[in-house]
Amino acid sequence: AGLTSLPRLRRLALPQWIGPKNAVALAASPLLARLLELDLSRSPIRAEGLAALGKSPHLRQLEVLRLADGLVALDAPGFKDTPSWARLHTLDLADNRLSDAAFAALADNRALAGLRVLDLTRVHGVTDAALAKFVAGLPALEVVRLDRTNVGDLTFAALVRTAGPNLRELVLPYG
């Protein structure tokens, strides 16, 4: 049975369900080819799982990817080359610890240029300069959530300059 008996499945949520090895196995499954949304929130997929998901030929239809509260201190390697994410319009990385190197890799990742929704709520470990460089390459952004994230003038200016005309929702940290 398994996923083969779910031919209409378009959204798969596996919160707190899989680790790095399971994420690699999941990415290799051709049964994911019809998924539009994948939610692996609170699943510690780590760098190897993230890299496998980003390169999976079976996730090329993916539009929404939720990786909230599970990547914990993930560095750049998993974000460098993600051809499977070319159709993504929503990326949720909330509640993670991500370094400047991770955001530099995201900034250089052309597959993310069409992002419209970006949730970085409570992302720690990144500087304002690295975040600004990342959002500067995302002109299609319509919704940006940065609550309780290290955001300063550089990020705000980059958002206004790059995505300002498209922004419908902007959540900034208070204080």
Side-chain angles (χ1 to χ4, degrees), residues 23-24 37 50 100 128 131 151:
V24 171
E37 180 173 348
L50 183 64
D100 281 359
D128 186 37
L131 193 53
V151 177

Side-chain angles (χ1 to χ4, degrees), residues 70-140:
L71 300 178
V72 188
L74 185 65
D75 218 338
F79 291 122
K80 283 188 179 185
D81 182 26
T82 60
S84 290
W85 297 0
R87 290 187 50 146
L88 275 188
H89 61 69
T90 300
L91 180 60
D92 180 355
L93 296 172
D95 295 299
N96 281 295
R97 181 174 254 329
L98 301 171
S99 67
D100 281 359
F103 276 95
L106 285 164
D108 292 339
N109 190 334
R110 299 313 325 147
L112 301 177
L115 279 182
R116 296 191 312 263
V117 178
L118 179 63
D119 192 344
L120 299 175
T121 302
R122 290 178 302 277
V123 167
H124 302 285
V126 63
T127 62
D128 186 37
L131 193 53
K133 183 180 179 202
F134 174 48
V135 300
L138 303 173

Side-chain angles (χ1 to χ4, degrees), residues 34-56:
R34 58 189 170 270
L35 281 187
L36 301 178
E37 180 173 348
L38 180 60
D39 185 346
L40 299 176
S41 298
R42 297 182 311 279
S43 292
I45 63 171
R46 306 282 187 250
E48 68 186 87
L50 183 64
L53 291 167
K55 292 183 172 125
S56 172

